[in-house]
Amino acid sequence: MTAPARHNLPRPGTGFVGRERDLSDLIRLLGSSRSVTLCGTDGLGKTRLAIRLAEQSTQWFPDGVWMADLADARTTLEVYARVGAAVGVVEEAGQPLSVTVTEALRDRRLLLVLDSCEQVADQVTEVGEALLAACPAVSVLLTSESPVRLSGGTIWRMTPMALPLPARKGPPPDPARAEAVRLFMDRARTRDPRFSLSREELETVTVLCDLAGGIPLGIEVLGASAPGVGPAALAEGLRAYLASPKVQPGPGQVVPRSEVLPLVLDFVYGALPEAERVLLRRLSVFRGWDLELAEQVCTDELLPEPALLDLLTSLLNRSLITVTGEFEGRVRYRLPEAVRRFAHARLVEEGEAELFQERLLDRMLRLAEDLGRKLESSRTMPWSERDSGRQRVIAEYDTLRSLLRWAVEHGAAEAGLRLCVSLVAHWVSHQTHAEGAHWMDRLLELEDAAKAPSRARALVGRAQLARVRRDHDLAVSLGEEGLRLCREAGDDVFVRTALNLLALVEVRDHVPDQAAVRVEEALRLCREAGDLWGEAIALGTRAALVAQQGDHPTADHHYNAALTLLRGIDHRWGVGVTLMGQARAAEAGGDLVTADRCYREALDTQRMIGAVAEEARCLVGIGRVAYAQGFTGQAYDYLSEGLLLSHSAGQRADAARALTAIAQVAFGAGPRESACRLAGAAMSVRERLGLSTHEAPWPFGDAESTRRRRRHLVNWWERGRSLSLSVAVREGERLIEEGRRPQPRRSAPPRRPARGRGALSDPPPAPESVTPEQRLTRRELEVARLVSQGGSNPEIARALFISPSTAARHVANINRKMGFHSRTQIASWVRQHRTVD
């Protein structure tokens, strides 16, 4: 569940044809150059070649091949945000996203594919140079219409597809072997599998490919049109169109090959039925869509809803739109960027651009506001219904981004702020706080923002983003201003939201008296309004407040009351967050049973939601509690998984906490030098992040009373401060592996067992006396069952979405816990108790 996939490359809807020599040369080039830019005009197939090249390069990059689409990016922050999303790095609270991404990639060997860089070339250059300088094992593959030059990089200029070339003294070339003709025939047969041509007709196809300038996209749309009209009629029509006065540059001049694609698209567009032309124009407002969304935005009396599916299918068959996948059982489509720009220009010519942009904005506002209502609704509904809104926003996020940019550029403050207010829940739950703050700040700076009806709510929403980014001063100032304006406007919903927000910030800032006043008012107002969601949040804040004051039993009571409300309305996200708060409070109060139960339940919830950072925190929490209960082996298992997950997600503070916990387990078990080094490395990470720190040799300050021995601890601890985080993570993993090894048997009389929480675990139990469910963790139990079915480590890895090395580690853990020496013993044990059951 936590092992990352090796790539996120999209699966193209059509086959890859031609470019064999380019591909071969580029594979070698990518092995010798850390930066390669594929550049050339629209439609040359840069993206398709980059995807194909990346697919065939995965073996050289053990940490994966990751693609980020920058077609709509305009700022450096947006570039970093899309890179972070592509590689699975989660934003760190209170830290610049650029630093988080760079630090997370510092020791990874991966290929980063940055697609469509032409609109953000300067920003990509800045980001690329920073990554190449700081991350010596990262390589970058870029696509752009114009060259993007990175230090030591190579520019690969794309050329048109090859046409048949006659040999000087040889037989005439076979047109069917030319890559341009092969592409034409492939797209024609995609539309009609029975499509075939004579040798003479293939010569005509060669002419068509030449008229299209050898541009792959032009060849594709012509090939998709061929089954309907035939290559001869198509060639005659295109030749006449290119010779017409309206497209000729001047007397005696011809259209340059680099400029022929828009003309080919215009020729194909002109041959479409009127309804298909209308639909193609209107689809240009999307960055991706499904049939339902197209019906809601594009239909009117000229384009009736029942006709839309057939029209979409026809455009798909003509290679003018592409399929990008499915969402909730619905096929999703996208326009190739060159086609989208062409179609949008036609929409502007028809005077319909503003109309359909506003129709799209209205629909997206309803979609985003539905998300906000579902996530904060007190109505009982299945979690799947609440979560569907969140997933839909994720699916449409590229279009939502484009609308936010449109609102900023057109000064549409009210529409943009309404959209932002509804997206705050997405930015918080999806941990994209910096991007949300970026859009809200730009919209609040607009001239009309001061008079926008949504400004008060926007200030509260912006304060929520400031809180999760740990900018508490800004959260308080914006939250209080938003609260005042909402009170004046009689906006009771956001008055309650603002009070809960301010109370939570004041708890974090240790201002208990003010926090208590806020939370009690929020509780009263929520109960009067029947706002169960708001009441649960207030109860959770009250619990955190009394836990901070040392009253852990009362805190547990308030947490349970909040959970009762949240479970009653089946709000899994709220349950997960509240359980984590309850677990931390219980752990601090010494109630290890409650802490373990809450962390484990929260872990299942966070995995289901896909909250990677919270999942890692739960794993580390379970590990700490397991160690406190005396289960050293289990502590190592959970701490190891939590450490690796935090590190891969770029969560440096969480990784430091995991390292400290591992150091404490190891220190109690014996290897003190390594434990002190890990603790020192963790403290160095905290210091660099601006978090609270402790003096050497924390947390082992009271472990030694003699000065000489304490000096050893301090020296080891100080040496650890020089370790990088990646080196410390590797050392932590090595330390865990050593701790997992069974202790060698001694012939000498048994020694008195060590005292304290770090004592060695008891001898393994007899297999017949304990069931797998009693002895193993949930993940180990899954692995054991698959072993009993004859699964190999790679097969187990595929079934559980983990890496083969992780599967092997779990098998080793099972053997260690039970004293087994083979997979056969594991299988026999599982079958024995399955039969008994």
mmCIF file of all heavy atoms in Angstrom, residues 124-151:
data_model
loop_
_atom_site.group_PDB
_atom_site.id
_atom_site.type_symbol
_atom_site.label_atom_id
_atom_site.label_comp_id
_atom_site.label_asym_id
_atom_site.label_seq_id
_atom_site.Cartn_x
_atom_site.Cartn_y
_atom_site.Cartn_z
ATOM 1 N N VAL A 124 10.747 27.096 -15.714
ATOM 2 C CA VAL A 124 11.261 25.730 -15.819
ATOM 3 C C VAL A 124 12.786 25.728 -15.760
ATOM 4 O O VAL A 124 13.401 24.854 -15.140
ATOM 5 C CB VAL A 124 10.761 25.057 -17.116
ATOM 6 C CG1 VAL A 124 11.522 23.766 -17.396
ATOM 7 C CG2 VAL A 124 9.273 24.778 -17.016
ATOM 8 N N THR A 125 13.406 26.730 -16.388
ATOM 9 C CA THR A 125 14.866 26.840 -16.321
ATOM 10 C C THR A 125 15.323 27.020 -14.877
ATOM 11 O O THR A 125 16.278 26.371 -14.426
ATOM 12 C CB THR A 125 15.351 28.018 -17.172
ATOM 13 O OG1 THR A 125 14.943 27.814 -18.532
ATOM 14 C CG2 THR A 125 16.857 28.160 -17.113
ATOM 15 N N GLU A 126 14.630 27.873 -14.132
ATOM 16 C CA GLU A 126 14.973 28.094 -12.724
ATOM 17 C C GLU A 126 14.827 26.807 -11.909
ATOM 18 O O GLU A 126 15.725 26.430 -11.144
ATOM 19 C CB GLU A 126 14.060 29.180 -12.148
ATOM 20 C CG GLU A 126 14.273 29.457 -10.670
ATOM 21 C CD GLU A 126 13.257 30.430 -10.102
ATOM 22 O OE1 GLU A 126 12.574 31.125 -10.896
ATOM 23 O OE2 GLU A 126 13.118 30.492 -8.869
ATOM 24 N N VAL A 127 13.703 26.120 -12.083
ATOM 25 C CA VAL A 127 13.459 24.889 -11.328
ATOM 26 C C VAL A 127 14.429 23.795 -11.761
ATOM 27 O O VAL A 127 15.018 23.089 -10.923
ATOM 28 C CB VAL A 127 12.000 24.423 -11.515
ATOM 29 C CG1 VAL A 127 11.780 23.054 -10.878
ATOM 30 C CG2 VAL A 127 11.036 25.444 -10.926
ATOM 31 N N GLY A 128 14.619 23.652 -13.071
ATOM 32 C CA GLY A 128 15.507 22.616 -13.583
ATOM 33 C C GLY A 128 16.934 22.791 -13.113
ATOM 34 O O GLY A 128 17.593 21.822 -12.701
ATOM 35 N N GLU A 129 17.439 24.019 -13.159
ATOM 36 C CA GLU A 129 18.807 24.270 -12.697
ATOM 37 C C GLU A 129 18.945 23.953 -11.213
ATOM 38 O O GLU A 129 19.955 23.388 -10.772
ATOM 39 C CB GLU A 129 19.191 25.728 -12.961
ATOM 40 C CG GLU A 129 19.293 26.113 -14.429
ATOM 41 C CD GLU A 129 20.537 25.541 -15.101
ATOM 42 O OE1 GLU A 129 21.271 24.751 -14.473
ATOM 43 O OE2 GLU A 129 20.763 25.879 -16.279
ATOM 44 N N ALA A 130 17.925 24.328 -10.424
ATOM 45 C CA ALA A 130 17.988 24.058 -8.982
ATOM 46 C C ALA A 130 18.012 22.557 -8.711
ATOM 47 O O ALA A 130 18.791 22.071 -7.878
ATOM 48 C CB ALA A 130 16.794 24.705 -8.283
ATOM 49 N N LEU A 131 17.185 21.794 -9.423
ATOM 50 C CA LEU A 131 17.127 20.353 -9.201
ATOM 51 C C LEU A 131 18.408 19.660 -9.665
ATOM 52 O O LEU A 131 18.940 18.773 -8.984
ATOM 53 C CB LEU A 131 15.915 19.757 -9.910
ATOM 54 C CG LEU A 131 14.546 20.143 -9.342
ATOM 55 C CD1 LEU A 131 13.426 19.540 -10.182
ATOM 56 C CD2 LEU A 131 14.410 19.693 -7.891
ATOM 57 N N LEU A 132 18.923 20.062 -10.832
ATOM 58 C CA LEU A 132 20.137 19.429 -11.336
ATOM 59 C C LEU A 132 21.330 19.715 -10.434
ATOM 60 O O LEU A 132 22.213 18.867 -10.254
ATOM 61 C CB LEU A 132 20.420 19.898 -12.764
ATOM 62 C CG LEU A 132 19.435 19.416 -13.837
ATOM 63 C CD1 LEU A 132 19.760 20.049 -15.182
ATOM 64 C CD2 LEU A 132 19.461 17.899 -13.953
ATOM 65 N N ALA A 133 21.365 20.927 -9.857
ATOM 66 C CA ALA A 133 22.484 21.285 -8.987
ATOM 67 C C ALA A 133 22.414 20.561 -7.643
ATOM 68 O O ALA A 133 23.435 20.134 -7.096
ATOM 69 C CB ALA A 133 22.502 22.794 -8.766
ATOM 70 N N ALA A 134 21.212 20.412 -7.102
ATOM 71 C CA ALA A 134 21.070 19.852 -5.752
ATOM 72 C C ALA A 134 20.857 18.348 -5.747
ATOM 73 O O ALA A 134 21.074 17.708 -4.715
ATOM 74 C CB ALA A 134 19.896 20.523 -5.036
ATOM 75 N N CYS A 135 20.422 17.778 -6.870
ATOM 76 C CA CYS A 135 20.047 16.362 -6.914
ATOM 77 C C CYS A 135 20.876 15.663 -7.987
ATOM 78 O O CYS A 135 20.455 15.579 -9.150
ATOM 79 C CB CYS A 135 18.553 16.212 -7.211
ATOM 80 S SG CYS A 135 17.489 17.266 -6.198
ATOM 81 N N PRO A 136 22.052 15.173 -7.645
ATOM 82 C CA PRO A 136 22.990 14.669 -8.654
ATOM 83 C C PRO A 136 22.521 13.442 -9.417
ATOM 84 O O PRO A 136 23.078 13.127 -10.472
ATOM 85 C CB PRO A 136 24.252 14.348 -7.833
ATOM 86 C CG PRO A 136 23.759 14.196 -6.424
ATOM 87 C CD PRO A 136 22.606 15.114 -6.284
ATOM 88 N N ALA A 137 21.502 12.725 -8.922
ATOM 89 C CA ALA A 137 21.042 11.517 -9.619
ATOM 90 C C ALA A 137 19.724 11.733 -10.348
ATOM 91 O O ALA A 137 19.144 10.787 -10.862
ATOM 92 C CB ALA A 137 20.905 10.363 -8.634
ATOM 93 N N VAL A 138 19.245 12.971 -10.405
ATOM 94 C CA VAL A 138 18.006 13.278 -11.121
ATOM 95 C C VAL A 138 18.339 13.688 -12.551
ATOM 96 O O VAL A 138 19.245 14.495 -12.784
ATOM 97 C CB VAL A 138 17.228 14.408 -10.413
ATOM 98 C CG1 VAL A 138 16.102 14.945 -11.292
ATOM 99 C CG2 VAL A 138 16.652 13.911 -9.088
ATOM 100 N N SER A 139 17.604 13.142 -13.512
ATOM 101 C CA SER A 139 17.698 13.557 -14.908
ATOM 102 C C SER A 139 16.377 14.192 -15.324
ATOM 103 O O SER A 139 15.322 13.868 -14.762
ATOM 104 C CB SER A 139 18.011 12.356 -15.816
ATOM 105 O OG SER A 139 19.283 11.830 -15.521
ATOM 106 N N VAL A 140 16.445 15.083 -16.315
ATOM 107 C CA VAL A 140 15.259 15.831 -16.731
ATOM 108 C C VAL A 140 15.079 15.700 -18.234
ATOM 109 O O VAL A 140 16.026 15.914 -19.003
ATOM 110 C CB VAL A 140 15.368 17.322 -16.338
ATOM 111 C CG1 VAL A 140 14.076 18.058 -16.686
ATOM 112 C CG2 VAL A 140 15.667 17.474 -14.856
ATOM 113 N N LEU A 141 13.876 15.344 -18.644
ATOM 114 C CA LEU A 141 13.493 15.289 -20.051
ATOM 115 C C LEU A 141 12.377 16.302 -20.247
ATOM 116 O O LEU A 141 11.342 16.238 -19.574
ATOM 117 C CB LEU A 141 13.015 13.877 -20.418
ATOM 118 C CG LEU A 141 12.453 13.673 -21.829
ATOM 119 C CD1 LEU A 141 13.525 13.952 -22.884
ATOM 120 C CD2 LEU A 141 11.913 12.259 -21.977
ATOM 121 N N LEU A 142 12.590 17.269 -21.140
ATOM 122 C CA LEU A 142 11.621 18.346 -21.334
ATOM 123 C C LEU A 142 11.080 18.318 -22.755
ATOM 124 O O LEU A 142 11.765 17.894 -23.688
ATOM 125 C CB LEU A 142 12.267 19.713 -21.068
ATOM 126 C CG LEU A 142 13.001 19.907 -19.750
ATOM 127 C CD1 LEU A 142 14.497 19.719 -19.962
ATOM 128 C CD2 LEU A 142 12.734 21.291 -19.173
ATOM 129 N N THR A 143 9.849 18.817 -22.925
ATOM 130 C CA THR A 143 9.304 19.072 -24.255
ATOM 131 C C THR A 143 8.873 20.530 -24.310
ATOM 132 O O THR A 143 8.298 21.056 -23.355
ATOM 133 C CB THR A 143 8.103 18.173 -24.578
ATOM 134 O OG1 THR A 143 6.956 18.605 -23.842
ATOM 135 C CG2 THR A 143 8.396 16.715 -24.259
ATOM 136 N N SER A 144 9.190 21.177 -25.423
ATOM 137 C CA SER A 144 8.879 22.602 -25.549
ATOM 138 C C SER A 144 8.926 22.996 -27.017
ATOM 139 O O SER A 144 9.687 22.412 -27.802
ATOM 140 C CB SER A 144 9.891 23.438 -24.750
ATOM 141 O OG SER A 144 9.655 24.819 -24.912
ATOM 142 N N GLU A 145 8.120 23.976 -27.380
ATOM 143 C CA GLU A 145 8.171 24.476 -28.754
ATOM 144 C C GLU A 145 9.484 25.203 -29.019
ATOM 145 O O GLU A 145 10.029 25.140 -30.120
ATOM 146 C CB GLU A 145 6.981 25.408 -29.009
ATOM 147 C CG GLU A 145 5.642 24.698 -29.065
ATOM 148 C CD GLU A 145 4.511 25.632 -29.426
ATOM 149 O OE1 GLU A 145 4.759 26.613 -30.164
ATOM 150 O OE2 GLU A 145 3.381 25.403 -28.972
ATOM 151 N N SER A 146 9.976 25.908 -28.007
ATOM 152 C CA SER A 146 11.257 26.610 -28.136
ATOM 153 C C SER A 146 12.262 25.955 -27.202
ATOM 154 O O SER A 146 11.886 25.351 -26.194
ATOM 155 C CB SER A 146 11.099 28.091 -27.789
ATOM 156 O OG SER A 146 10.529 28.231 -26.506
ATOM 157 N N PRO A 147 13.558 26.053 -27.491
ATOM 158 C CA PRO A 147 14.563 25.385 -26.657
ATOM 159 C C PRO A 147 14.555 25.885 -25.214
ATOM 160 O O PRO A 147 14.417 27.078 -24.957
ATOM 161 C CB PRO A 147 15.886 25.733 -27.345
ATOM 162 C CG PRO A 147 15.511 26.073 -28.753
ATOM 163 C CD PRO A 147 14.157 26.707 -28.670
ATOM 164 N N VAL A 148 14.660 24.975 -24.278
ATOM 165 C CA VAL A 148 14.858 25.294 -22.863
ATOM 166 C C VAL A 148 16.233 24.755 -22.506
ATOM 167 O O VAL A 148 16.448 23.545 -22.463
ATOM 168 C CB VAL A 148 13.777 24.652 -21.974
ATOM 169 C CG1 VAL A 148 14.057 24.942 -20.504
ATOM 170 C CG2 VAL A 148 12.396 25.149 -22.361
ATOM 171 N N ARG A 149 17.167 25.655 -22.285
ATOM 172 C CA ARG A 149 18.572 25.266 -22.116
ATOM 173 C C ARG A 149 18.924 25.184 -20.631
ATOM 174 O O ARG A 149 18.887 26.181 -19.918
ATOM 175 C CB ARG A 149 19.491 26.257 -22.823
ATOM 176 C CG ARG A 149 19.223 26.342 -24.327
ATOM 177 C CD ARG A 149 20.199 27.257 -25.038
ATOM 178 N NE ARG A 149 19.866 27.379 -26.456
ATOM 179 C CZ ARG A 149 20.242 26.505 -27.382
ATOM 180 N NH1 ARG A 149 20.970 25.456 -27.030
ATOM 181 N NH2 ARG A 149 19.902 26.669 -28.646
ATOM 182 N N LEU A 150 19.270 23.980 -20.196
ATOM 183 C CA LEU A 150 19.768 23.775 -18.846
ATOM 184 C C LEU A 150 21.258 23.469 -18.909
ATOM 185 O O LEU A 150 21.755 22.967 -19.923
ATOM 186 C CB LEU A 150 19.024 22.621 -18.169
ATOM 187 C CG LEU A 150 17.502 22.783 -18.040
ATOM 188 C CD1 LEU A 150 16.904 21.571 -17.329
ATOM 189 C CD2 LEU A 150 17.135 24.060 -17.300
ATOM 190 N N SER A 151 21.957 23.756 -17.845
ATOM 191 C CA SER A 151 23.413 23.590 -17.819
ATOM 192 C C SER A 151 23.795 22.157 -18.185
ATOM 193 O O SER A 151 23.307 21.194 -17.575
ATOM 194 C CB SER A 151 23.955 23.914 -16.424
ATOM 195 O OG SER A 151 23.674 25.258 -16.095
#
